[in-house]
Amino acid sequence: MNIIKKLTSKFQEVPNSAFRDIYEQHVTDASFLWLLRCVGLSQPHYSQEDLLELENRIEAHLDGLMTALDISWDVCLEALDYEQPGEIFTVAVVAFRSRDIEKIKTAVFAGLKSPETIKGLVSAMAWLPQTLVAEWMYKFLGSKNLEHKYLAVSVFSVRREFPGEMLTSLLKREDCLAHKPLRARMLRLIGELKRFELRWALDEAYEDEDPEVKFWVNWSTLMLGDKTAAPQLQNYLREDCQLKLIAMNTAFRSLSIDKARMWISKMAVEQKSARLVIEATGVLGDPHAIPWLIEKMRKVETARLAGEAFSMITGIDLEKYGLAIDAPEDISVLPTDDPEDKDVSMDPDENLPFPDVDKVALTWQKYGGKYQVGKRYFMGKEICESMLQEKLNSGLQRQRIAAAYELALLNPQVPLVNIKARTER
């Protein structure tokens, strides 16, 4: 008898309440670690090994919950009251692993309550092996409930799996087209998976006025290799929306260098776009901008971000080569300790090093001649498929994000790799 069976049989001999606190801790820890992983997916210092460590810890807590399902489910039901994506993730994994239809229905109902909770539900269905969720994905896709269809398409999207003819059918249905989040997600899937045979659906949606639908029409058109769609993403760079980062990562890798420089110059006129201009410069990979980035390193508020852009272009690791300094003592920390300060957002540059500007300038003076103006560079090399594949496999998370976009745009036949997917073991 293995250890889990021993524990399970022992638990059955005592009242549920005796071990309840253990299972409450499993739910709390699994949910918190899932949130930590979500943050780590876009952090500059996270590697696949770091993510794998987190995933193993999450899985250990999830396994712990399966040792006494009755107790665990009672705790899970209480956790649903928080209506938070981390708890939804944990509850949904337990429900699907139990194979109990009523538990699955409960988890799905709770997960569909808001745009935030559905993230946890989709993540759970992407986390689990196909044997546990494939049947449910197709059930939801064929459901009369449009929210179920949206859930199914989202899971297919995250898992990078193609629903086949069912997707074609949904793209022709009036009720599905009228449900804007569902239509947007279906159009997004076309670009992610490079389904050229569904280009007609993008063409038919071109005049749609919904901002999200319109964005994914142009984004997927661009992913299919039609670079004339890139200018249509420009408006999304001006808006404070979740699509801005995706627009930047896609558009500046598709435009010619001259056109991209014009966009960047136009954005630079708006002082509020300073961070976006630096990020876009790193995405473009234009060595012509390095002297400008070095000047931005002299300002505390943009120093770390400019240093990251410099590294993205040149491949020079500031810490590895002694080009970083300790954080200045007078730097403001986010969030602050002031109870009156309503800004509780984290410092977006917290995990980036501060560049030693003078040393960086000397380094560029010494090695800058290796870079040819008018060409794009990523991590110190001209962009090519073999180098991108290497960074996708071994780079840090932000490097992997960049490599995934570059690969997908370099070759219209290559699907966009989901770098947020569970790490392969």
Side-chain angles (χ1 to χ4, degrees):
M1 183 183 294
N2 62 35
I3 186 65
I4 291 180
K5 288 183 178 179
K6 287 181 180 179
L7 286 171
T8 304
S9 61
K10 188 171 183 178
F11 291 157
Q12 290 171 346
E13 297 172 4
V14 298
N16 285 356
S17 58
F19 292 97
R20 186 180 181 84
D21 59 334
I22 296 175
Y23 293 91
E24 289 174 347
Q25 196 64 50
H26 279 318
V27 170
T28 299
D29 289 352
S31 304
F32 171 75
L33 290 169
W34 177 84
L35 290 172
L36 191 59
R37 180 182 180 275
C38 288
V39 173
L41 290 171
S42 58
Q43 288 296 311
H45 63 304
Y46 262 72
S47 66
Q48 288 192 82
E49 289 73 21
D50 296 323
L51 292 176
L52 181 57
E53 181 183 350
L54 273 177
E55 291 164 7
N56 287 338
R57 292 170 65 190
I58 293 170
E59 190 66 15
H61 288 294
L62 295 173
D63 286 343
L65 287 168
M66 299 308 295
T67 61
L69 189 55
D70 288 342
I71 307 175
S72 295
W73 189 247
D74 284 343
V75 175
C76 284
L77 291 177
E78 290 184 3
L80 291 179
D81 292 340
Y82 293 109
E83 296 187 3
Q84 293 298 312
E87 280 72 16
I88 294 294
F89 165 81
T90 300
V91 173
V93 170
V94 171
F96 280 98
R97 288 179 68 174
S98 76
R99 300 178 184 265
D100 184 306
I101 293 177
E102 292 306 314
K103 288 182 175 61
I104 292 172
K105 286 181 178 178
T106 298
V108 170
F109 179 79
L112 291 176
K113 282 188 175 180
S114 74
E116 284 302 305
T117 54
I118 198 171
K119 293 176 183 177
L121 179 57
V122 171
S123 179
M125 294 183 69
W127 179 277
L128 291 162
Q130 190 179 47
T131 52
L132 288 180
V133 296
E135 182 180 355
W136 284 99
M137 288 163 63
Y138 283 101
K139 278 184 179 179
F140 291 141
L141 203 61
S143 170
K144 294 180 181 179
N145 187 326
L146 293 178
E147 293 298 320
H148 286 171
K149 293 183 186 296
Y150 173 75
L151 169 62
V153 174
S154 298
V155 176
F156 274 105
S157 170
V158 172
R159 296 179 70 98
R160 294 296 195 266
E161 296 175 10
F162 182 52
E165 288 301 315
M166 291 185 75
L167 181 63
T168 304
S169 175
L170 297 184
L171 285 165
K172 296 178 180 179
R173 284 179 46 168
E174 292 295 331
D175 58 338
C176 295
L177 299 181
H179 189 289
K180 296 305 180 181
L182 172 57
R183 189 178 198 185
R185 196 75 198 219
M186 291 191 293
L187 297 173
R188 173 180 176 177
L189 185 59
I190 293 172
E192 288 171 337
L193 298 183
K194 304 292 186 73
R195 304 305 304 195
F196 286 88
E197 76 276 18
L198 297 177
R199 172 65 190 264
W200 58 268
L202 300 176
D203 295 336
E204 288 187 0
Y206 188 77
E207 299 299 329
D208 197 297
E209 292 302 316
D210 182 82
E212 189 174 1
V213 170
K214 204 170 188 66
F215 175 86
W216 291 112
V217 166
N218 288 292
W219 183 87
S220 286
T221 300
L222 187 55
M223 295 302 288
L224 294 182
D226 186 349
K227 294 187 177 181
T228 61
Q232 304 303 320
L233 300 180
Q234 188 171 16
N235 288 336
Y236 294 88
L237 297 172
R238 301 191 184 99
E239 299 176 11
D240 187 16
C241 64
Q242 293 181 336
L243 299 175
K244 180 163 64 176
L245 189 59
I246 300 174
M248 183 187 66
N249 269 305
T250 313
F252 284 99
R253 291 187 164 91
S254 305
L255 296 166
S256 67
I257 286 187
D258 289 341
K259 187 71 172 178
R261 284 177 183 168
M262 290 175 58
W263 279 32
I264 289 174
S265 297
K266 189 175 181 181
M267 290 191 301
V269 174
E270 304 175 28
Q271 189 62 33
K272 64 179 182 180
S273 297
R275 290 185 60 84
L276 184 63
V277 172
I278 293 171
E279 289 177 298
T281 301
V283 169
L284 179 60
D286 181 5
H288 177 73
I290 295 293
W292 178 80
L293 285 175
I294 292 174
E295 287 305 307
K296 290 299 177 183
M297 293 180 204
R298 299 187 186 279
K299 296 184 178 182
V300 172
E301 61 271 22
T302 56
R304 289 176 289 181
L305 188 64
E308 182 185 33
F310 172 84
S311 296
M312 280 289 194
I313 298 171
T314 64
I316 299 173
D317 186 311
L318 300 183
E319 292 180 306
K320 182 178 179 180
Y321 292 102
L323 304 178
I325 59 174
D326 294 334
E329 292 182 2
D330 59 346
I331 185 174
S332 58
V333 177
L334 293 175
T336 68
D337 293 329
D338 184 355
E340 300 298 320
D341 189 349
K342 295 182 179 180
D343 185 4
V344 295
S345 59
M346 301 302 293
D347 183 349
D349 302 334
E350 178 183 5
N351 296 303
L352 291 172
F354 268 93
D356 185 325
V357 188
D358 291 335
K359 284 186 178 180
V360 170
L362 287 172
T363 299
W364 180 247
Q365 187 177 1
K366 183 175 182 180
Y367 297 106
K370 295 167 48 180
Y371 299 86
Q372 185 176 337
V373 173
K375 290 188 176 182
R376 294 184 61 230
Y377 292 84
F378 172 56
M379 300 303 294
K381 297 180 180 180
E382 289 187 49
I383 294 169
C384 67
E385 190 166 345
S386 59
M387 180 270 290
L388 294 173
Q389 193 63 56
E390 178 198 347
K391 289 301 177 185
L392 185 64
N393 294 334
S394 62
L396 299 174
Q397 274 303 102
R398 287 190 187 171
Q399 297 166 8
R400 296 184 67 231
I401 291 171
Y405 274 109
E406 293 286 2
L407 276 169
L409 291 165
L410 187 65
N411 186 344
Q413 303 297 327
V414 175
L416 177 64
V417 175
N418 182 10
I419 61 89
K420 296 183 179 181
R422 191 174 174 184
T423 308
E424 294 184 6
R425 284 147 178 79

